[in-house]
Amino acid sequence: MYGNYLDDAAKIVAEKREENLKFEHARLTAEQKDDLLLKFHPDRIKEQFTELKIGPNKGQKAPIELAEMLQAKPRLEPEKIDLNHIDYESDVLVIGGGGAGTSAAIMASEAGAKVLLVTKLRVGDANTMMAEGGIQAADKPNDSPAQHYLDAFGGGHFDGKPELVSTLVNKAPSVIKWLNDLGVEFDKMPDGTMVTTHGGGTSRKRMHACKDYSGAEIMRTLRDETFNRADQITVVDFTAAIEIIKNDKGEAAGAVLMNIETGEIRIAKAKVVIIATGGAGRMHYQGFPTSNHYGATADGLVMAYRAGAKLLYQDSLQYHPTGAAYPTQILGKLVTEKVRSLGAKLINKDGEVYIHPLETRDVNASGIIREVREGRGVHNDVQDAVWLDTPMIEMIHGEGTILKSIPAMYNMFIKYGIDIRKEPILVYPTLHYQNGGVEIDKTCHTNVANLLVAGEASGGVHGTNRLMGNSLLDVVVFGREAGIEAGKMFKNIKLSDKLSLQHVKDFEKERAAAKIEGDAVSPKILPTYHHGNPEFDKAIPGATL
């Protein structure tokens, strides 16, 4: 039991549970969805965005926090960097050790490339590891990539780049097979058939899962495969890339690296550079909590932007509707959409089912924000929220379903005395996914030669809203595509002897001309929760200054 004033609030939910279980809330019409998003979605709050004054996307809007990083002072002084002292040489440099980075490294090495994988934390310290619900693929007889395309394209408000959405859905079945062959333990029936379920916005059951540890299981497998290829893939961890290096032709040719423990600078030279740095949740846009891992600070967007790469939908973020809102210790932690796909419904303080639980994520997030703002939320001393009625799951599917299907959720809450089999949980939107990023084509090329981007750092795959299960799919599909493409490219590229950071100098001139002020330094590298303690900054060179 909650053991406080919330017990009474939870009793209202319990009293109406039988009635609510039978009640099916109608899906919202397109007009109702648009109205809800316009009034309550964080992306629609104009004062939370600003116009970019410099760079490839000059004149476009971006979240205030991201704009500050995109236009901030570079973390290095080009004149003080010795580009003639090369510490690492490789055919392919992969920046980022999550699902996209490891997939890229594996495929590039398979093509014979010598790969350097650099990650600012450890391989697997990534949003991929924290994804729970599953990975989509249309590989059942009643489904097809065409149907998956319609769901994904429509779910993204028809803003996705068609060639990227097409690549995503058509490569999905082969990606599931690849992961299965590598050893991912997908949920299966006794005869070996993969179990699939619905997600928000899906018209077919195509969600493949590993209980609610899906991302962790996929990341475990990709990490192990990366380490198994140690003869071709060199991993350098606790080292952040802080600037892309170009050659005299303006092509990407490596990166400046910084050891985040010592502040030591290293130079990596490569024929092809792949940015796979993931998301931006630790930027805490608009003060939202986040489900993201500690290193998700939009570094890839900053480096690519300074190098001249265009961004797409940089003003679009995904706020997952169900982040934990109580207790404090797990504020913002992801409550997987699988909980709702199993039958748990969203309930306001009056015990009412106010929306269908499997509307798309942006719609359900907006619905929760509306309930709270209009006084129908559940007040508590952590974060006003709504109920997610988890006991419904075992009323529908039988006793034992929660421990069998979503053990991570049970374990997350039981630590704090909340048994989700018997009690509802409090949820509120959490900053979850960076819908936009660096613009790419279907083989992950940017407008900067020899610079590829894959995974959450890219923009265009999901349009302006992502469906559940398409993120794990995205990182593996496009991580693989980037690695395959780099594996073709490196054979026709020579390592350059003329390395340059002239683009960084040019960027600083642009900053000066635009009269951009402030002491912000980018890339951010790590979030700051120490309120400006100079001793902390001194102790950790990579901390925000």
Side-chain angles (χ1 to χ4, degrees):
M1 301 294 287
Y2 285 93
N4 58 23
Y5 57 90
L6 289 174
D7 280 345
D8 290 336
K11 285 176 185 174
I12 297 172
V13 181
E15 288 167 1
K16 294 191 174 184
R17 186 166 292 133
E18 291 278 359
E19 177 186 341
N20 284 335
L21 190 59
K22 298 172 186 174
F23 175 67
E24 283 296 325
H25 196 287
R27 294 277 189 167
L28 299 182
T29 65
E31 293 75 16
Q32 288 172 324
K33 290 179 184 179
D34 287 345
D35 184 60
L36 183 60
L37 292 170
L38 182 62
K39 291 178 180 176
F40 296 101
H41 196 277
D43 280 358
R44 309 299 178 94
I45 303 173
K46 292 181 181 179
E47 58 269 26
Q48 294 293 337
F49 296 83
T50 189
E51 187 178 292
L52 292 168
K53 297 179 180 178
I54 59 175
N57 292 76
K58 179 180 178 180
Q60 295 180 13
K61 68 174 183 175
I64 292 169
E65 301 87 344
L66 177 61
E68 181 183 45
M69 288 295 99
L70 292 174
Q71 301 176 141
K73 295 177 184 177
R75 192 168 280 278
L76 58 77
E77 296 178 49
E79 308 79 26
K80 295 182 179 180
I81 303 298
D82 182 4
L83 295 177
N84 295 312
H85 182 82
I86 307 300
D87 298 284
Y88 305 100
E89 278 191 9
S90 63
D91 296 318
V92 178
L93 168 62
V94 178
I95 303 171
T102 50
S103 295
I106 290 165
M107 298 313 295
S109 71
E110 209 166 89
K114 178 183 175 185
V115 180
L116 177 67
L117 188 153
V118 177
T119 178
K120 67 180 173 184
L121 297 175
R122 301 164 300 179
V123 175
D125 287 336
N127 285 345
T128 303
M129 177 65 81
M130 305 177 81
E132 295 167 347
I135 176 170
Q136 285 201 48
D139 58 0
K140 292 291 180 72
N142 69 333
D143 202 358
S144 69
Q147 191 65 42
H148 189 177
Y149 181 97
L150 292 173
D151 289 347
F153 194 49
H157 301 296
F158 306 97
D159 290 327
K161 292 180 71 172
E163 67 271 26
L164 298 184
V165 185
S166 179
T167 300
L168 180 79
V169 301
N170 281 296
K171 298 284 184 179
S174 60
V175 157
I176 294 293
K177 183 180 185 306
W178 182 67
L179 291 172
N180 187 62
D181 291 347
L182 283 178
V184 171
E185 296 285 348
F186 287 110
D187 296 340
K188 296 175 183 174
M189 302 293 285
D191 66 357
T193 303
M194 289 198 190
V195 175
T196 52
T197 58
H198 271 302
T202 62
S203 60
R204 299 288 188 277
K205 292 181 178 180
R206 68 172 71 96
M207 202 69 56
H208 300 65
C210 313
K211 294 185 168 49
D212 54 348
Y213 294 103
S214 302
E217 171 61 10
I218 289 170
M219 191 68 252
R220 174 195 67 79
T221 306
L222 293 173
R223 180 194 62 206
D224 288 353
E225 183 65 17
T226 298
F227 289 146
N228 287 342
R229 294 170 176 264
D231 56 332
Q232 284 183 276
I233 302 173
T234 299
V235 174
V236 179
D237 55 12
F238 295 108
T239 298
I242 59 173
E243 212 68 69
I244 299 299
I245 296 171
K246 290 184 173 183
N247 59 23
D248 58 332
K249 298 176 184 175
E251 302 165 331
V256 180
L257 313 176
M258 185 184 80
N259 183 297
I260 67 167
E261 296 176 299
T262 66
E264 211 168 3
I265 296 295
R266 291 285 182 262
I267 303 300
K269 183 162 73 168
K271 298 176 180 178
V272 183
V273 178
I274 300 174
I275 288 177
T277 51
R282 291 288 167 171
M283 299 284 280
H284 292 291
Y285 298 117
Q286 300 185 38
F288 271 81
T290 185
S291 63
N292 285 192
H293 82 107
Y294 194 65
T297 50
D299 296 353
L301 272 63
V302 170
M303 288 186 287
Y305 196 69
R306 204 130 62 205
K310 293 178 181 177
L311 305 182
L312 181 64
Y313 301 136
Q314 68 280 353
D315 58 334
S316 178
L317 287 303
Q318 181 167 90
Y319 297 82
H320 195 292
T322 54
Y326 186 94
T328 304
Q329 295 93 326
I330 55 173
L331 178 64
K333 289 281 189 179
L334 185 64
V335 176
T336 173
E337 195 163 310
K338 191 173 182 181
V339 175
R340 284 175 284 133
S341 74
L342 286 169
K345 295 181 181 180
L346 293 161
I347 313 285
N348 63 24
K349 75 168 187 179
D350 301 318
E352 297 171 343
V353 178
Y354 64 89
I355 200 168
H356 193 286
L358 291 180
E359 294 285 6
T360 56
R361 287 180 171 179
D362 53 352
V363 171
N364 259 326
S366 299
I368 293 172
I369 293 170
R370 178 192 65 193
E371 295 302 294
V372 169
R373 286 191 188 165
E374 294 186 351
R376 295 183 296 276
V378 181
H379 179 68
N380 69 86
D381 56 7
V382 178
Q383 167 66 64
D384 289 358
V386 299
W387 294 109
L388 183 58
D389 199 4
T390 48
M392 285 184 168
I393 292 171
E394 299 204 337
M395 291 175 70
I396 297 169
H397 302 286
E399 188 175 338
T401 300
I402 284 176
L403 289 180
K404 179 183 177 182
S405 299
I406 49 172
M409 291 296 94
Y410 173 81
N411 290 331
M412 183 165 77
F413 283 93
I414 200 65
K415 291 177 186 176
Y416 306 102
I418 300 169
D419 187 340
I420 68 173
R421 298 171 300 180
K422 301 172 182 176
E423 302 160 275
I425 57 178
L426 288 167
V427 294
Y428 190 78
T430 184
L431 186 52
H432 184 57
Y433 196 82
Q434 178 178 270
N435 288 328
V438 184
E439 186 170 5
I440 60 170
D441 65 15
K442 65 181 181 180
T443 50
C444 301
H445 284 277
T446 69
N447 60 293
V448 176
N450 300 343
L451 179 64
L452 311 182
V453 178
E456 194 173 347
S458 71
V461 179
H462 308 288
T464 50
N465 180 62
R466 178 180 63 76
L467 299 187
M468 172 195 183
N470 279 347
S471 60
L472 284 175
L473 181 60
D474 173 8
V475 299
V476 182
V477 166
F478 287 99
R480 279 172 50 88
E481 291 303 299
I484 292 168
E485 184 68 6
K488 296 174 183 175
M489 294 169 63
F490 87 92
K491 297 168 184 175
N492 301 311
I493 300 172
K494 290 184 178 180
L495 281 170
S496 178
D497 291 324
K498 297 179 180 179
L499 302 183
S500 171
L501 289 171
Q502 184 59 46
H503 62 286
V504 181
K505 297 177 184 177
D506 293 342
F507 189 84
E508 291 199 87
K509 289 177 184 175
E510 223 183 325
R511 287 184 77 248
K515 297 181 180 178
I516 294 173
E517 300 176 348
D519 297 322
V521 175
S522 68
K524 195 178 185 76
I525 300 179
L526 294 173
T528 305
Y529 298 110
H530 59 85
H531 305 297
N533 182 341
E535 293 305 311
F536 183 94
D537 288 330
K538 208 182 297 179
I540 302 181
T544 304
L545 302 177

